[in-house]
């Protein structure tokens, strides 16, 4: 059993799992994406018709801040690939992908 757990843990570490979370403080939403192996991350959301925005990185943690005043849908582009992290609210889009949903009321 211990060997199985070690093997699963190693696979998860090597697969580049990412932690995604956010904080809201005084109507400012800060999104965090822990993706240490990524070289370039962009973020897109429904507030501006999914324009891409470059995300800042410090030691493998990618962050972007924006007003937390209205609900919106979003996803990341990590090293050229669409990436939807694990998030509490999700929906399928018209292109076969999923978007995270942020709702300041929830």
């Amino acid at each position: 059993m211990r060997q199985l757990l070690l093997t699963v843990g190693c696979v998860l570490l090597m697969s580049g799992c990412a932690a995604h979370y956010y904080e809201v403080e005084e109507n400012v939403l800060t999104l965090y994406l822990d993706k240490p192996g990524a070289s370039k991350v962009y973020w897109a959301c429904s507030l501006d018709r999914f324009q891409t925005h470059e995300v800042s990185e410090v030691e493998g943690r990618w962050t972007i801040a924006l007003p937390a005043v209205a609900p919106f849908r979003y996803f990341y582009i990590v090293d050229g690939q669409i990436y939807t992290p694990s998030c509490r609210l999700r929906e399928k889009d018209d292109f076969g992908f999923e978007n995270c949903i942020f709702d300041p009321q929830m």
Side-chain angles (χ1 to χ4, degrees), residues 5-61:
L5 291 174
L6 286 172
T7 303
V8 170
C10 288
V11 169
L12 288 175
L13 284 173
M14 292 170 56
S15 68
C17 291
H20 173 262
Y21 54 99
Y22 65 85
E23 296 176 337
V24 178
E25 191 173 309
E26 298 182 19
N27 289 330
V28 175
L29 168 68
T30 304
L31 293 163
Y32 300 93
L33 179 66
D34 290 338
K35 193 85 165 154
S39 59
K40 191 65 105 173
V41 175
Y42 293 92
W43 181 82
C45 82
S46 60
L47 292 174
D48 60 1
R49 296 185 175 170
F50 295 97
Q51 299 280 328
T52 56
H53 304 273
E54 194 166 347
V55 182
S56 301
E57 184 260 345
V58 174
E59 297 180 8
R61 177 169 291 153

Side-chain angles (χ1 to χ4, degrees), residues 73 89-101:
R73 283 113 179 96
L89 299 173
R90 295 173 84 114
E91 73 172 7
K92 290 201 179 282
D93 65 17
D94 296 337
F95 303 102
F97 296 100
E98 289 188 333
N99 296 318
C100 289
I101 301 171

